[in-house]
Amino acid sequence: MRLRHRDGQTIHLGYCTNVHAGEDLPEIMAQLDACAVPARRLLGAGRLGVGLWLAAPVATQLAADPGAVARLRDNLDARGLEVVTCNGFPYRSFHAPVVKHAVYQPDWLTPERMEYTINLAWILAGLLPEDAARGSVSTLPLAWRTPWTARHWAAARQRLAELAGRLAAVHARTGRLIRVGFEPEPGCVIESTAQVATGLSGVDTRYLGVCLDLAHLACAWEEPGAALDLLAGSGLPVVKVQVSAALGAEHPGQASTSAALRGYAEPRFLHQTRSAAGQAADDLTEALDAGLPGPWRVHYHVPLHAAPEPPLHSTVDVTRGALAVLVGGDRPMCDHLEVETYTWSVLPPGQRPSGPAQLAEGIAAELSFTRDELIALGLGEAAVPRGPGDDLRRQGMEVH
């Protein structure tokens, strides 16, 4: 979906397809048909943005075949879908039975991470709508925090300089600007906006910046206004925002709250837990077993529109506060907004979609919630330029 800021800029809003497990093109298109297309219809949107997640093997194949990228773009257009951003954080197997720390591998000390990210940049340059100002790729905050030494920092800075140079080559060859945003996350080398401002100081900000995940911002107990002021002062652009909300608990030591939290402790994803006083655990089960004092915020993306049942809550107020700073002013700080609730399949059973139709309804509800929040901040819905697939859809011939 597209919205128009009061200064005339287009704000792109979509959802991240890392919620889907497919890792080859037929699976990806089948899941978009099952969820993205129905969500677009439910929203009444002429175009729906998808933040594309491509596992490394399919990214390698596509980057080597510009014709395949053009066909993918045509197939997306025929479905009323458009891509301005890619999620380059998970490398592959994001829906394996156990992911946990594996999601941080390969990290930015490896050539594999570089090649994957550059492959996504080339692909995205071929997928961008003609009128899109730029594309964005989100990536991990360098690495998990251990081991990490001064020698690792020196190697990482060399990688970042190389990355900027290779993105400049994509820009020169294609005419399309692709920027990479590093995403602060609890437990990683870069956890907070202060750490990203320090850790990325001196990078080429034409091509490198920050991906701000609002659930991670909440888990770091950062106040949105102060955090964004710090980023603005550092000169680092916010190239992408992941619109998300974390799980919260005021009194985790109480029996009812602890029992409710146990319902969210699951084996696939890592759920870093932070207390207001700064105590930390690397996973929710660890925090529960250790009796970490509350209140807590837990790195567990919960649906934006549906608050957890009491005594738990979500950090959607942090999400609202951050959006107000990001796009509520005279000029937007970012034009790529991506709803990223990848945890639908591991929610407690009573909240979990029973199939693709219910998942599509949930995705549409989150996007509708976000669209309403943005309109309340003064944004308007933007007209979407027609694409080649519009006539087919109008005639009831939408591709499946």
Side-chain angles (χ1 to χ4, degrees), residues 186-242:
C188 294
V189 171
I190 293 173
E191 291 191 297
S192 66
T193 53
Q195 289 176 337
V196 77
T198 300
L200 298 188
S201 63
V203 301
D204 188 340
T205 55
R206 293 172 299 173
Y207 298 105
L208 306 183
V210 182
C211 170
L212 191 64
D213 184 303
L214 302 185
H216 300 176
L217 186 77
C219 287
W221 292 88
E222 295 197 70
E223 193 279 317
L228 288 161
D229 282 348
L230 190 154
L231 283 180
S234 75
L236 286 171
V238 181
V239 305
K240 176 176 177 178
V241 172
Q242 288 175 328

Side-chain angles (χ1 to χ4, degrees), residues 83-86 121 124-125 128-129 132-138 176-181 206-207 239-240 335-336:
V83 178
V84 300
T85 186
C86 288
L124 185 54
L128 280 178
R134 62 189 63 84
S136 61
V137 177
S138 50
R176 309 314 303 266
L177 171 62
I178 309 297
R179 300 190 295 180
V180 170
R206 293 172 299 173
Y207 298 105
V239 305
K240 176 176 177 178
D335 57 357
H336 290 182

Side-chain angles (χ1 to χ4, degrees), residues 253-267:
Q254 292 182 353
S256 60
T257 307
S258 177
L261 286 165
R262 294 273 178 194
Y264 286 84
E266 53 83 27

Side-chain angles (χ1 to χ4, degrees), residues 60-85:
T60 299
Q61 295 166 12
L62 283 170
D65 188 352
V69 174
R71 290 190 294 275
L72 174 58
R73 178 175 170 172
D74 289 344
N75 281 325
L76 292 167
D77 184 78
R79 290 161 169 81
L81 307 176
E82 66 179 12
V83 178
V84 300
T85 186

Side-chain angles (χ1 to χ4, degrees), residues 92-114:
R92 64 184 305 176
S93 304
F94 191 52
H95 288 266
V98 178
V99 177
K100 300 291 184 182
H101 292 85
V103 77
Y104 306 108
Q105 294 295 331
D107 63 29
W108 271 102
L109 299 178
T110 68
E112 291 83 2
R113 177 59 63 174
M114 176 72 74

